[in-house]
Amino acid sequence: MRKSVFLAGLMITLLAVAPAFAQPVVIKFSHVVAVDTPKGQAAEYFKKLVEERSKGDIKVEVYPNSSLYGDREELEALSMNSIQMAAPSFSKFTSFTPQLELFDLPFLFNDVDHLHKVLNGEVGQKLLTMVGKKGMVGLAYWDNGFKQMSANKPLIKPEDAAGLKFRIMSSKVLESQFKAINANPQVLPFSEVYSALQQKVVDACENPLSNFFTQKFYEVQSDLTMSNHGYLGYMVVSNKLFWNKLNDGQRQLISQAMKDATEYANKLALEMDERYMKDIKASGKTTVHTLTPEQRKLWKAKLMPIYPQFEEKIGKDLIDGALAAGK
Ligand code: LMR
């Protein structure tokens, strides 16, 4: 009798302390860019917040620089729950949610305020819901910045790009964009761009300044045109099964940390755009060209006519909604 009372007591004690030995929840967060970019830094900040606030009950392992998965595998890995978070650029969602190619449309946004109106408004919400139907959970939008074109010659008029092989992300909008100026678009994963430029497999590319600098593209591109012709940003996504297994408290904690990391990412995106402009100029290797308003008009006139081709795929309502937010 006394022995069974002792055993029952022992069981109760063990059950009480069991949570202390529970394995932490692990979030593998994979991305393809350098740590010193808006996405790289925001992922590190998110990790710090989650681990501090959960007192170690939730761990975030960040894998930058395509060190775990590259562009082609990242979303596959997420859908198989091999990773639990990623923040691919919109163009990488093509085979899951092609409507996200909306953001690739050239000259869609007047400025960052216009972009944020779209992301935080009805269009942004609709796109998060669409991603949610594909076994993912859209958690946030993170900024990088406007894309600039680079090559080994100045690209001042659209005709200057004719015949050049441009590396693009896997988006049909980007393909049409470069075809519209008689260039030759080539899809390549981000991790292969530097060597493709170096070995002249491609001649040119388009990037926000943080990627251009941290990938050292200035070493292999003599000219950079501040064209601001398109936008590159991210949707942070999680796996739905993983997300649904978390308890309410964990979901709340992660959502709040994501909100804070988003603010951090977006502030950093603006700061880094300025900082890396200085660094690119200081490298002395790339000449920076700024388009005059008249020159920019020429690019717009060539590139914006591709919109109607995508009304069906993206949705005219989304395109019109995004344009209307800028008026
Ligand atoms: C690219 O492939 O150029 C970008 O999507 C990389 C990134 O994630 O910023």
Side-chain angles (χ1 to χ4, degrees):
M1 182 68 187
R2 279 181 59 190
K3 196 172 165 201
S4 62
V5 169
F6 170 76
L7 282 175
L10 186 64
M11 285 291 287
I12 289 166
T13 314
L14 282 176
L15 283 175
V17 298
F21 296 106
Q23 293 292 313
V25 171
V26 177
I27 298 176
K28 289 190 175 161
F29 189 147
S30 166
H31 68 82
V32 300
V33 292
V35 175
D36 217 358
T37 55
K39 177 162 64 179
Q41 286 297 304
E44 297 300 331
Y45 187 61
F46 171 74
K47 168 187 167 72
K48 177 175 172 294
L49 296 183
V50 168
E51 292 184 352
E52 272 174 16
R53 292 176 187 175
S54 72
K55 306 202 170 30
D57 285 348
I58 309 175
K59 288 223 163 310
V60 183
E61 295 172 2
V62 182
Y63 298 91
N65 274 319
S66 311
S67 56
L68 191 58
Y69 293 108
D71 284 340
R72 290 201 174 120
E73 308 92 33
E74 203 167 61
L75 279 172
E76 289 288 333
L78 186 90
S79 62
M80 290 163 69
N81 203 20
S82 303
I83 54 172
Q84 290 68 42
M85 259 186 211
S89 58
F90 300 122
S91 333
K92 313 267 166 85
F93 285 83
T94 312
S95 47
F96 292 86
T97 315
Q99 292 86 346
L100 278 168
E101 286 189 27
L102 169 74
F103 296 99
D104 293 334
L105 287 171
F107 298 105
L108 182 65
F109 302 111
N110 306 327
D111 49 30
V112 176
D113 284 345
H114 177 188
L115 164 79
H116 284 171
K117 263 198 207 159
V118 174
L119 292 177
N120 301 326
E122 201 181 322
V123 171
Q125 195 48 54
K126 271 190 189 164
L127 289 164
L128 287 173
T129 310
M130 284 179 191
V131 165
K133 291 186 181 141
K134 300 287 164 141
M136 294 186 251
V137 184
L139 296 176
Y141 292 109
W142 284 359
D143 286 353
N144 187 335
F146 285 94
K147 289 180 291 183
Q148 320 299 347
M149 291 191 202
S150 64
N152 285 316
K153 62 185 274 202
L155 301 175
I156 308 299
K157 304 182 299 303
E159 293 73 37
D160 298 331
L164 294 183
K165 280 189 232 144
F166 264 87
R167 177 270 169 168
I168 57 163
M169 299 179 274
S170 57
S171 144
K172 292 290 170 203
V173 169
L174 299 180
E175 194 179 303
S176 287
Q177 166 182 283
F178 285 112
K179 284 189 173 160
I181 47 175
N182 299 316
N184 182 358
Q186 312 262 329
V187 176
L188 277 180
F190 187 62
S191 58
E192 291 172 25
V193 183
Y194 179 90
S195 61
L197 288 168
Q198 190 184 37
Q199 290 159 25
K200 312 249 185 286
V201 174
V202 290
D203 311 301
C205 60
E206 50 165 13
N207 279 279
L209 298 183
S210 62
N211 283 348
F212 187 84
F213 186 78
T214 54
Q215 296 298 314
K216 298 196 167 61
F217 294 159
Y218 57 88
E219 291 181 354
V220 284
Q221 296 275 265
S222 64
D223 293 85
L224 176 69
T225 299
M226 296 300 288
S227 48
N228 288 299
H229 64 281
Y231 173 75
L232 190 144
Y234 311 106
M235 191 193 278
V236 189
V237 278
S238 186
N239 172 290
K240 203 172 221 165
L241 288 176
F242 165 79
W243 187 252
N244 289 343
K245 267 201 203 148
L246 297 170
N247 64 39
D248 285 349
Q250 290 167 329
R251 269 194 297 267
Q252 245 167 41
L253 189 150
I254 293 171
S255 300
Q256 185 56 48
M258 184 53 67
K259 206 163 160 232
D260 297 341
T262 301
E263 256 175 48
Y264 183 75
N266 295 353
K267 190 164 161 277
L268 213 53
L270 292 174
E271 282 170 21
M272 282 188 167
D273 225 35
E274 276 183 32
R275 190 203 313 162
Y276 285 129
M277 178 82 270
K278 290 192 190 122
D279 290 343
I280 291 164
K281 285 185 174 161
S283 78
K285 294 191 170 170
T286 299
T287 309
V288 179
H289 309 276
T290 302
L291 296 180
T292 63
E294 286 70 33
Q295 288 163 345
R296 215 162 167 265
K297 267 193 201 148
L298 298 177
W299 288 88
K300 273 189 169 183
K302 284 276 182 206
L303 298 182
M304 290 188 72
I306 70 167
Y307 281 35
Q309 286 175 44
F310 294 97
E311 282 176 357
E312 203 177 318
K313 185 179 189 187
I314 294 172
K316 191 166 178 340
D317 58 327
L318 293 181
I319 299 178
D320 289 347
L323 287 170
K327 286 183 184 144

